[in-house]
Amino acid sequence: MTRTVYVNGEYLPEGEAKVSIFDRGFLFADAVYEVTSVLDGKLIDFDGHAVRLERSLKELDMASPCSKEELLEIHRKLVELNGIEEGLVYLQVTRGSDGDRDFVFPSADTPPSLVLFTQNKPGLADSPAAQKGAKVISIEDIRWGRRDIKTVQLLYPSMGKMMAKKAGADDAWLVEDGYVTEGTSNNAYYVKNGKIVTRPLSNDILHGITRAAVLRLAAEAQMEIEERLFTIKEAKEADEAFTTSASAFVMPVVEIDGVQLGDGTPGPIAKRLREIYLEESRKKAV
Ligand code: PLP
């Protein structure tokens, strides 16, 4: 089925949507993005994603393409037009184009490009991958220093996923100066003696919208949380581990660098947090 996508004010069949070859998103990865999940045909954590988008734009001195209310309307319309019950909405804002290639930013009145499309993912909440748990490998984190900005510079995370696949794993955790930063496209956690350990927020990691929600829910459920730097060795000695992201919610991790965690099946805390997060998110979905 042909999707209807959104590009700069128009809803079009995917084959007809076009962006200039001079667009800075294409030439310089001068663009930011958000991914919002959809459950029961409704948007999960929309507000958090909209707030982070504004922050990313501001940090890069990029103009906002439209208001939060308009963004919500576009998201909802795409979900409806494409009949999405479970899936994702991808949004990208680029610095646009003034019709040539130049390292210098175009003038401030150059309109940004705004593109959105849906991805239909039936069974997203009930995913077999989450029931099985993920195997991860560790690789060096060689990304730039502003990982708190959600830019489309995703070549290294993409290479990391390929390294994982080649090693027979599902994903990679990134390690810098001996400490885990995050996963290629998720935030990373381990659990030892009931305590959840995760890296604190800084420019070194993306400030996950799912991370914020899951940590809040964990605290409400009286779970112990410690935000501090941790090594891959500590994580390998953990009782369990997991990742969080908008596209996979809470994903249990059952193996790190070939070392099995616990009995090699998803741990109780990861499973509980996934349940609570899905339940709460469905209630608050818009
Ligand atoms: N860290 C990185 C590097 C990511 O790419 C993502 C999501 O794409 C996350 C963390 C999780 O963020 P969120 O929960 O907002 O999806």
Side-chain angles (χ1 to χ4, degrees), residues 17-264:
K18 291 190 174 51
V19 176
S20 165
I21 61 156
F22 298 111
D23 192 280
R24 287 184 61 92
F26 179 57
L27 295 179
F28 293 99
D30 189 355
V32 298
Y33 76 108
E34 284 295 332
V35 176
T36 304
S37 56
V38 178
L39 293 176
D40 314 318
K42 288 181 174 173
L43 299 157
I44 303 298
D45 281 336
F46 175 81
D47 223 58
H49 290 285
V51 168
R52 184 173 62 190
L53 175 67
E54 274 311 307
R55 179 179 181 275
S56 295
L57 292 169
K58 193 160 160 275
E59 290 297 313
L60 296 176
D61 211 7
M62 210 184 277
S64 204
C66 61
S67 70
K68 198 167 120 185
E69 292 69 31
E70 286 166 316
L71 267 191
L72 177 58
E73 200 187 311
I74 300 167
H75 275 75
R76 281 179 162 159
K77 190 156 175 192
L78 278 184
V79 167
E80 192 195 319
L81 288 172
N82 292 292
I84 308 293
E85 275 301 304
E86 289 200 3
L88 305 169
V89 182
Y90 176 88
L91 166 156
Q92 182 168 329
V93 183
T94 86
R95 204 182 301 274
S97 143
D98 61 0
D100 205 351
R101 179 177 184 271
D102 193 338
F103 280 81
V104 174
F105 291 176
S107 65
D109 59 1
T110 304
S113 294
L114 174 62
V115 170
L116 287 92
F117 57 82
T118 54
Q119 293 183 291
N120 193 25
K121 306 239 179 221
L124 187 65
D126 233 347
S127 107
Q131 279 158 29
K132 212 166 127 223
K135 296 178 179 177
V136 304
I137 58 164
S138 61
I139 61 171
E140 198 189 340
D141 194 341
I142 58 166
R143 298 172 302 160
W144 80 324
R146 288 304 306 275
R147 301 158 195 157
D148 56 311
I149 309 173
K150 197 165 168 68
T151 76
V152 301
Q153 301 175 72
L154 296 174
L155 180 55
Y156 188 65
S158 207
M159 289 169 73
K161 291 243 197 235
M162 295 312 293
M163 287 182 233
K165 295 252 175 278
K166 212 170 155 189
D170 305 295
D171 202 357
W173 280 14
L174 307 169
V175 178
E176 184 174 55
D177 300 329
Y179 297 103
V180 174
T181 50
E182 57 190 334
T184 57
S185 61
N186 42 58
N187 292 115
Y189 313 72
Y190 81 77
V191 183
K192 184 81 179 173
N193 300 326
K195 190 195 288 173
I196 300 165
V197 179
T198 195
R199 190 178 177 107
L201 295 181
S202 70
N203 290 354
D204 299 333
I205 61 169
L206 187 74
H207 301 190
I209 302 307
T210 320
R211 178 189 186 279
V214 166
L215 289 183
R216 181 176 46 77
L217 294 169
E220 282 170 19
Q222 315 295 327
M223 293 179 186
E224 206 184 335
I225 302 159
E226 198 174 4
E227 293 184 58
R228 62 166 173 81
L229 300 188
F230 65 94
T231 64
I232 204 79
K233 181 171 177 288
E234 278 175 73
K236 280 186 208 168
E237 290 165 359
D239 300 326
E240 56 174 298
F242 62 93
T243 60
T244 60
S245 67
S247 52
F249 313 119
V250 178
M251 173 63 68
V253 168
V254 294
E255 191 181 295
I256 302 176
D257 287 334
V259 177
Q260 181 182 299
L261 303 185
D263 65 0

